Amino acid sequence: ETFNQNLEWKLDNILPGIMKEEGLDMWVIINFEYTEDPVYKTLNTWPGDGARRLSILIFHDAPDGFKKLSATWHGPYASGYMYEGIFTDRASGAEAQFTAVADYIRKADPKKIGINYDNTVLDDFSHANGLSHMHYERLYNALDKKYRDRLVSAKSVVRRWYETRSPLEISLLKQMTIATHTLIKEFFSTAVITPDVSTATEVRWWIAEKIEALGYDFWFFPSLDIIRSPENLALYGRDDVIRRGDLLHCDVGISYMGLTTDMQHLAYVCRVGEEKAPAGLTEVYKKGLRFQQIALEEMVEGRSGNEILNITVERGTAEGLRPVMYSHPINYFGHGSGMTIGMVEKQKFLAGSGEHTLHNNTTYALEFNVTGKVPEWENQDVTMGFEEDMIFSNGKAWLIDGYPQQLYLVK
């Protein structure tokens, strides 16, 4: 019920503004049962969460008000109670659904008709290519010629629909972030890890089972990497047992009610008699905290992901942090649609989502790594990956529930 009420609020209060700002007066989503357009599931009430036979939704920014329409074979309630049906001729089958859509378009006379298709960037997380070729052909053939010429990509609307959070979602994401932090704090301790006995695989399974026990899902299987000193590497090789003197790096993300978290934290496993991590590891960790602050400072509304990437990496490099930035939106998907700031292999320019600009009420996984030399580890370079959930709202970026200011210690 909460998901459905939130969806209705977003359709009434967020989507109309996005379509108007992006210059799209009609948006058509067409898909079939079990081969859904990914965006359809964000527009479908629960517990349905999927298409029924041929399912078609139309959003129309009409002169007399915003319309939420359905031309779905099973009727509008198969998509959600907030939709108005424009298709009733079920006896004529799926072809009649396209006829109903074409008739409505002819009557409404939209200037631009957005469809979920875009061929400009191959490696892009826009999630704006959910329209099948067959359904495109059926729509195209059903339309009058002048409306065929008005078909355009709905990519910008799709992207902003995915990325924009409602007040309820921001509140829920805060609780999910706290829950993920609590989970990480628990397994980065001797409550879960017995040094020289527990394996990384065992801890990963503990995390997964704990997430499910808490009533959440994980959108990727939790990871736990062991970063080993030259001394430990000589003694133990790359075995899976968590040893004293190891550095641990986790990557954990949960999902709930169409929202996701994504976090990477670090812990040091103390040797017998140690009370803190080696100073060299602590210094590398401080580099990460510093770059995190730089990135937050450079989140300026209207800047593109590429602009933010270049400014932050330039500043971080100038301070000797040796950063690599690859931050991404978190929304309905963990690797969500919206503004992306770099990829590991693309530290100058990212086509597509890197060109998208920063908008209000959007959420991100602020993800990057820094590298530094550790004297206690034979002056070896150590790379630490950081990731924390961030929101941009009211002209400011901040971490939703902060970030640990020092390495976790497993004693």
Side-chain angles (χ1 to χ4, degrees):
E1 183 179 353
T2 301
F3 178 91
N4 296 341
Q5 290 173 349
N6 181 62
L7 171 59
E8 184 175 23
W9 188 91
K10 290 175 67 178
L11 291 174
D12 290 337
N13 295 278
I14 291 179
L15 183 58
I18 290 174
M19 289 179 60
K20 196 174 295 291
E21 288 175 19
E22 299 299 333
L24 198 65
D25 49 341
M26 183 174 288
W27 181 26
V28 181
I29 297 96
I30 306 170
N31 57 185
F32 198 82
E33 191 169 339
Y34 303 127
T35 55
E36 288 90 354
D37 181 332
V39 78
Y40 181 82
K41 291 190 174 185
T42 74
L43 299 163
N44 184 202
T45 55
W46 287 4
D49 194 29
R52 297 291 303 278
R53 294 176 65 164
L54 178 63
S55 296
I56 303 175
L57 296 177
I58 301 173
F59 298 99
H60 181 204
D61 187 15
D64 60 341
F66 193 75
K67 311 291 186 184
K68 305 182 290 289
L69 308 172
S70 168
T72 298
W73 193 87
H74 277 279
Y77 277 81
S79 300
Y81 61 84
M82 67 284 292
Y83 294 107
E84 175 188 350
I86 62 168
F87 168 72
T88 56
D89 187 15
R90 294 174 65 178
S92 297
E95 293 293 345
Q97 291 175 250
F98 284 99
T99 300
V101 171
D103 288 345
Y104 181 83
I105 289 174
R106 189 178 302 112
K107 178 181 176 182
D109 192 30
K111 299 298 181 289
K112 289 185 179 180
I113 307 164
I115 55 174
N116 294 352
Y117 169 75
D118 183 79
N119 66 352
T120 56
V121 182
L122 179 61
D123 185 17
D124 194 19
F125 281 86
S126 67
H127 304 139
N129 267 304
L131 178 64
S132 75
H133 185 66
M134 181 189 74
H135 290 146
Y136 168 76
E137 288 184 327
R138 295 302 175 93
L139 174 66
Y140 185 88
N141 291 334
L143 294 176
D144 297 340
K145 182 183 184 305
K146 70 174 182 178
Y147 296 115
R148 294 172 181 172
D149 295 337
R150 298 182 189 181
L151 293 172
V152 298
S153 172
K155 181 177 181 176
S156 59
V157 169
V158 171
R159 183 177 274 154
R160 292 192 60 192
W161 167 253
Y162 271 118
E163 75 175 0
T164 307
R165 304 275 62 79
S166 71
L168 174 63
E169 288 172 328
I170 290 172
S171 177
L172 284 175
L173 191 57
K174 170 75 171 180
Q175 297 306 310
M176 291 170 61
T177 304
I178 292 171
T180 311
H181 282 173
T182 302
L183 176 69
I184 293 171
K185 185 177 181 180
E186 184 175 1
F187 70 72
F188 271 162
S189 74
T190 52
V192 175
I193 296 173
T194 301
D196 295 317
V197 176
S198 300
T199 66
T201 300
E202 290 169 343
V203 177
R204 293 175 69 198
W205 275 104
W206 182 94
I207 299 167
E209 291 168 0
K210 183 72 171 184
I211 289 170
E212 292 184 336
L214 291 170
Y216 299 110
D217 293 316
F218 47 85
W219 61 273
F220 64 93
F221 198 80
S223 71
L224 184 66
D225 302 317
I226 299 172
I227 303 170
R228 195 152 273 173
S229 68
E231 179 184 352
N232 274 15
L233 200 57
L235 288 171
Y236 309 116
R238 300 190 182 278
D239 71 5
D240 197 40
V241 178
I242 296 169
R243 307 288 184 175
R244 292 192 179 277
D246 284 344
L247 180 67
L248 305 180
H249 169 267
C250 74
D251 195 350
V252 178
I254 66 174
S255 58
Y256 180 69
M257 281 191 54
L259 298 170
T260 54
T261 69
D262 194 5
M263 300 174 191
Q264 295 177 35
H265 290 197
L266 296 119
Y268 176 72
V269 186
C270 292
R271 297 181 184 277
V272 175
E274 278 187 324
E275 293 297 325
K276 58 184 180 181
L281 290 178
T282 299
E283 287 305 309
V284 179
Y285 192 81
K286 288 179 180 178
K287 288 175 182 281
L289 295 179
R290 173 57 185 152
F291 187 72
Q292 192 177 72
Q293 185 58 42
I294 291 172
L296 291 171
E297 291 171 1
E298 298 300 342
M299 297 290 173
V300 177
E301 189 167 5
R303 277 184 178 170
S304 71
N306 289 329
E307 289 174 313
I308 296 170
L309 171 68
N310 286 307
I311 293 169
T312 53
V313 170
E314 183 178 340
R315 284 185 62 186
T317 300
E319 294 189 23
L321 308 180
R322 298 168 65 185
V324 178
M325 194 168 191
Y326 37 96
S327 300
H328 58 86
I330 48 168
N331 35 70
Y332 193 84
F333 300 111
H335 291 155
S337 183
M339 182 195 71
T340 302
I341 310 173
M343 288 185 175
V344 173
E345 76 283 12
K346 296 178 181 178
Q347 289 295 288
K348 292 293 185 182
F349 179 83
L350 177 64
S353 54
E355 299 171 277
H356 189 60
T357 55
L358 180 60
H359 290 278
N360 199 41
N361 295 329
T362 52
T363 49
Y364 304 87
L366 185 56
E367 183 178 9
F368 60 89
N369 68 54
V370 296
T371 299
K373 293 188 179 299
V374 178
E376 298 88 345
W377 285 17
E378 299 179 7
N379 220 33
Q380 175 179 286
D381 271 345
V382 172
T383 297
M384 293 187 183
F386 290 71
E387 187 173 25
E388 190 52 64
D389 295 349
M390 180 205 94
I391 184 167
F392 183 84
S393 185
N394 297 320
K396 182 181 178 182
W398 70 91
L399 301 180
I400 296 172
D401 188 46
Y403 192 81
Q405 294 302 292
Q406 57 189 13
L407 288 162
Y408 287 96
L409 297 177
V410 180
K411 295 183 177 181

